[in-house]
Amino acid sequence: MIQKVAKVCMVPDILDQSDAQSFYLSGSDLAWQLCGSHNEGLLAASECARQLSYLRIKTNKLLFVDAQSGFGNPLNTYFTVKEFEHHGADVILINDQQFPSQTKHPQIASIYSFAGRVKAAIDAHNQQNSSIWVKLDGYSHYQLDGLQKRLIIAEKLGVTGALLNSVPAEEINKLKVNLKLGILNFETKNYPAQVKYFFE
């Protein structure tokens, strides 16, 4: 059965959606609250971590957190994951964009840069405290073949899940992957069988 993941930004969002099974702190939404812009690249990792700690106090449910493109190079990614774990993240999402991440006009990183940041995230995290997922924003850029390649790399590096952003259902059905899958900005209610999480 598919689980719905509710977007949250401030503590009242958690209180208003107390029936949700899990929550997602989106960089885009937090940037809107703090900066008046949906450009997630305006945020620092410390701002996201601070907000995460407030949310964690109010819920013990599964909490997904947008770590964007790791806030820099692999070393930045390593310490970002450590910081987010310390502040209560259950699932930390690393995207496939260049730094800084952009919500509306993403610039997709090379597959080598993406792999380097994912490896740093895996090395940093404690398996008892958190999981590392990838957030794939570049489907329109690299299409199905590139999507499959990134999922294979992520799985080999030790990632446990992937959030697919704006990927059509018919393409998801063609994927060959053993990762847990979530979907974001999905246009139909006919969810592919292998999808476990729907991010509202």
Side-chain angles (χ1 to χ4, degrees):
M1 182 177 178
I2 195 165
Q3 290 190 30
K4 292 187 177 180
V5 183
K7 283 187 178 182
V8 293
C9 188
M10 300 295 173
V11 169
D13 298 330
I14 285 183
L15 302 179
D16 291 342
Q17 302 184 82
S18 58
D19 58 339
Q21 296 167 302
S22 50
F23 300 109
Y24 170 47
L25 176 58
S26 158
S28 175
D29 291 347
L30 184 58
W32 175 250
Q33 288 286 342
L34 299 182
C35 307
S37 169
H38 281 291
N39 185 1
E40 60 198 58
L42 296 174
L43 297 174
S46 58
E47 293 173 306
C48 298
R50 186 180 304 113
Q51 196 62 29
L52 168 60
S53 65
Y54 297 146
L55 299 175
R56 181 80 284 172
I57 290 170
K58 289 297 182 180
T59 183
N60 59 5
K61 294 180 180 179
L62 189 67
L63 188 51
F64 293 81
V65 181
D66 184 4
Q68 301 182 33
S69 52
F71 295 92
N73 61 28
L75 186 60
N76 296 105
T77 303
Y78 183 95
F79 287 110
T80 294
V81 169
K82 289 289 189 187
E83 185 174 16
F84 282 17
E85 270 191 346
H86 177 73
H87 286 85
D90 294 310
V91 181
I92 300 169
L93 298 161
I94 304 294
N95 72 28
D96 58 351
Q97 295 188 40
Q98 297 178 21
F99 173 77
S101 294
Q102 299 183 46
T103 305
K104 293 185 178 180
H105 304 289
Q107 301 296 310
I108 303 305
S110 73
I111 201 164
Y112 304 105
S113 175
F114 167 70
R117 287 186 276 109
V118 171
K119 179 65 166 61
I122 291 294
D123 289 345
H125 97 292
N126 184 326
Q127 291 184 358
Q128 295 180 339
N129 297 331
S130 71
S131 299
I132 303 298
W133 281 34
V134 291
K135 178 173 176 274
L136 300 180
D137 293 325
Y139 168 76
S140 62
H141 175 77
Y142 45 66
Q143 299 297 302
L144 181 62
D145 183 60
L147 183 65
Q148 183 71 63
K149 286 180 180 177
R150 284 161 176 78
L151 289 170
I152 290 171
I153 288 170
E155 187 173 351
K156 286 183 176 179
L157 289 173
V159 163
T160 57
L163 177 57
L164 308 179
N165 186 6
S166 302
V167 179
E170 60 271 19
E171 300 292 70
I172 295 175
N173 286 326
K174 297 175 185 176
L175 294 172
K176 298 177 181 178
V177 66
N178 294 317
L179 299 172
K180 297 176 184 176
L181 295 181
I183 49 176
L184 177 68
N185 296 321
F186 197 66
E187 295 181 353
T188 175
K189 296 298 183 182
N190 296 319
Y191 307 124
Q194 63 211 94
V195 170
K196 302 302 180 186
Y197 298 92
F198 172 61
F199 286 63
E200 295 184 295

